[in-house]
Structure formats: structure tokens, C-alpha cells
Amino acid sequence: MKIAHISDLHVKCEWYEDRLGNNLVKYLNAQKPDLLIITGDLTDYGYYAEYKRAYSFLELIEVEKRVVVPGNHDARNEGYELFEEFFGTRMPYYEDEYMVIIGMDSSLPDREEGHIGRKGYKFLRETLKDKGDKLKIVALHHHVVPIPATGSDLAILTDAGNLMKVVDELGVELVLTGHKHKAWVWKLNETYYVTAGTATTRRLKAKDYPSFYMLYLEDEKNIRMEKVNTETLKVEEVYTLNFEEGKER
Ligand SMILES: [Fe+2]
Ligand SMILES: [Fe+2]
């Protein structure tokens, strides 16, 4: 099983580059992931014309299954309604015999920061409580744990602590996010918090590069995760995500 995790495309915004977009499509169509996860900010202002462009761009990626959640930029200008028109739901769900993925909308209207809220925790608890040893993945736009070297952290998930407690209780192995335009991985207790960078723009911190992740599920205990530079298409970093010893999945 191969999963691509991309984020913060901001398709055709001022800092978007066609070359980066083309590289991303080329790489993914060669790698042929089974599943594509997009953690928000597909657009810049949530305008209809932007949604159309973002949707057309994503159509170029040949993948059967997608889990797409909105970012704060997509929710601007009532864009969350358009998100549903183009992608069906703001709370996508995927399940097979090995894993379950829950996508959550953490955006707030015309706000930079994010929020999940009590209904969201309840939904997570009810949905994940009887999934046994399946790999559990939660995908949302806003980062949950602060990311270093990204300035003042005013636009984080405002109820991060509550979400982390729920995630910990439920044994969620992976929380996938975006938003900060800087790739980073934290592990807290048994959960990996993976933040993808911006895949296709130059909205970067200092001399960072645009990037995305490829996740290769090798066996029930390990995921090999590669951080790919969208500019060079070189793998810049390789992580081995290890899960609880002896847990059967
Ligand atoms: Fe973004
Ligand atoms: Fe964002």
C-alpha cells in the first residue's frame, strides 16, 4: 500500500509555480499511489474560479481514492460550500481491511486558526472505537503541535490539547496535517504528528524547498515515509515510523 500526502497547493496563486505542479503530477503518476491524502489549502481565497482550477489540476493525478479536507484558505469567502460541491464532503472517510482514515474540517470562516470542537471529538470516538487493530489515521489542515522555525504560532489548532487527548485514547497512529508550509514530524506517546510542507508553491520559510510525503506501508509495524523535494524530485529524508511492538493489524 502506497499513500501520497500532499498539502497547501494554493493552485495558481502568486507563489504557485507550474513547474512544481507538473513535477508533482509526474512523480505521482509514475509512483501510482493507491491513495492520495490532501490536507487543505487547495486554493488561496476560496473563490469559485480557484476551485475550478484546483479541481482540474487534481484531475491530472491518476489515483483511484482521495481523501481531501479543506484548509483555512479554502474556507474563505464561503468557500467551504464550494468545497462540498467539488469534493463531496468536508469530512471524508476511507476504510479497508488494514486501515481507517478520517478527514476532519478544522477551518473556521475567514479565520487563520483552526478548531475541531466537541462534536468532532465525539465523532472520532464513535467512529474509531471498534476499529480494533486497524491503522488509524486522522487528516486535518491545521497543525496540532507547534512547528519550529515558523514564526509566532497564532494559527494553530486552538483546541489542540483536547484533540491530542482523544487521539491518544483512541490509539491513532498518524495525524496528518499541513498549513505551516514546513514539513515536520513529531512523535508524542504512540502517535506521529506529520505536517507536510507546501507541495507546489514558493510560500516557504527562509531557504526551505517545496515538498510532499510518500508513505509506504511495509508491514503492520512499520511505515517508510519519504519526503520528496518537488523541485528536484529527489528524496531528501527517509523516516521509519514504528508502531507499537506486537500490535496486530
Ligand atoms: Fe497554506
Ligand atoms: Fe493554511
Side-chain angles (χ1 to χ4, degrees):
M1 180 84 172
K2 221 184 272 186
I3 300 176
H5 171 206
I6 68 176
S7 200
D8 296 82
L9 307 173
H10 295 275
V11 176
K12 304 283 184 188
C13 81
E14 187 183 354
W15 302 103
Y16 174 92
E17 279 187 17
D18 280 326
R19 194 167 69 86
L20 299 173
N22 294 341
N23 272 0
L24 178 67
V25 171
K26 187 170 87 179
Y27 193 90
L28 294 184
N29 286 350
Q31 282 292 319
K32 300 192 191 327
D34 302 288
L35 183 69
L36 175 63
I37 301 178
I38 309 175
T39 46
D41 281 0
L42 287 70
T43 69
D44 222 24
Y45 290 96
Y47 293 141
Y48 187 53
E50 287 185 293
Y51 268 105
K52 284 202 280 193
R53 285 199 294 255
Y55 188 83
S56 303
F57 172 75
L58 292 175
E59 286 291 282
L60 301 174
I61 301 171
E62 294 153 13
V63 64
E64 209 178 304
K65 299 175 198 102
R66 290 195 298 213
V67 171
V68 192
V69 293
N72 56 310
H73 284 258
D74 305 316
R76 288 177 175 176
N77 301 302
E78 301 290 300
Y80 68 94
E81 286 187 14
L82 300 174
F83 188 93
E84 287 179 349
E85 194 179 314
F86 282 93
F87 299 104
T89 174
R90 289 178 284 127
M91 302 283 281
Y93 183 81
Y94 170 82
E95 185 171 3
D96 64 22
E97 59 180 306
Y98 304 108
M99 70 174 81
V100 47
I101 305 173
I102 298 184
M104 307 202 84
D105 176 11
S106 57
S107 71
L108 295 162
D110 297 306
R111 300 287 289 265
E112 303 297 315
E113 70 272 31
H115 194 73
I116 291 293
R118 289 190 285 267
K119 279 186 191 160
Y121 320 142
K122 189 167 177 239
F123 175 74
L124 275 178
R125 284 200 175 97
E126 283 172 359
T127 312
L128 289 178
K129 69 172 189 260
D130 50 9
K131 296 303 175 194
D133 286 337
K134 284 187 182 183
L135 179 71
K136 299 174 193 73
I137 301 176
V138 173
L140 69 156
H141 179 62
H142 291 82
H143 60 303
V144 177
V145 186
I147 311 292
T150 57
S152 298
D153 217 340
L154 302 173
I156 198 168
L157 195 78
T158 54
D159 56 343
N162 289 343
L163 180 69
M164 289 165 79
K165 183 167 181 290
V166 174
V167 154
D168 191 54
E169 270 169 38
L170 295 167
V172 172
E173 283 90 351
L174 277 177
V175 175
L176 304 180
T177 65
H179 188 49
K180 288 300 271 187
H181 295 206
K182 181 167 180 69
W184 197 259
V185 181
W186 285 122
K187 187 182 186 192
L188 284 150
N189 292 351
E190 296 305 316
T191 307
Y192 287 92
Y193 291 85
V194 173
T195 297
T198 171
T200 51
T201 83
R202 296 280 171 194
R203 273 188 183 163
L204 298 161
K205 314 297 175 199
K207 288 190 175 173
D208 202 6
Y209 50 87
S211 66
F212 60 96
Y213 288 123
M214 291 295 302
L215 288 82
Y216 302 89
L217 281 63
E218 304 201 307
D219 57 46
E220 68 271 14
K221 286 185 214 158
N222 294 293
I223 292 179
R224 182 166 56 89
M225 187 171 83
E226 296 178 350
K227 182 166 90 168
V228 185
N229 182 328
T230 322
E231 184 163 5
T232 60
L233 295 183
K234 287 205 174 89
V235 174
E236 301 277 359
E237 280 182 66
V238 180
Y239 305 80
T240 302
L241 312 183
N242 283 110
F243 303 111
E244 205 178 317
E245 192 69 21
K247 185 171 173 180
E248 284 175 25
R249 196 170 283 121

